[in-house]
Amino acid sequence: MATPTSSKRVCFDVFEADLRSGELRKHGIKIKLHHQPFHVLTMLLEHPGEVVTREELKSKLWPSTRLWTSTWA
């Protein structure tokens, strides 16, 4: 389960995500994660225990882009 800490940091298992700086760490070691996957992770961490639908992801992360359904299959 994700545990929020101060300054928008979320700890889960051996990971720590700093939602403000966009950094992900595993056992304190920074992991390189591209911009878009980090946004997906952030959205999931902001809704712990909830289902985040592909429609919610698309509207938040790609609001002005048309994605074909087959891309999400």
Side-chain angles (χ1 to χ4, degrees):
M1 181 61 80
T3 308
T5 62
S6 62
S7 76
K8 289 297 231 178
R9 290 190 180 175
V10 181
C11 298
F12 55 104
D13 197 30
V14 297
F15 296 94
E16 180 181 340
D18 187 325
L19 305 183
R20 210 168 268 173
S21 70
E23 290 183 352
L24 179 64
R25 295 182 179 273
K26 179 179 180 183
H27 295 293
I29 299 168
K30 187 175 176 180
I31 296 174
K32 184 174 182 165
L33 193 60
H34 292 281
H35 184 70
Q36 203 64 35
F38 192 83
H39 282 315
V40 172
L41 176 62
T42 297
M43 228 179 135
L44 295 173
L45 291 173
E46 288 176 339
H47 298 88
E50 298 177 29
V51 173
V52 178
T53 66
R54 77 174 72 164
E55 289 78 21
E56 290 172 309
L57 287 170
K58 286 192 303 189
S59 68
K60 173 101 180 203
L61 302 175
W62 298 279
S64 61
T65 306
R66 280 190 68 192
L67 296 176
W68 299 102
T69 305
S70 62
T71 304
W72 291 87

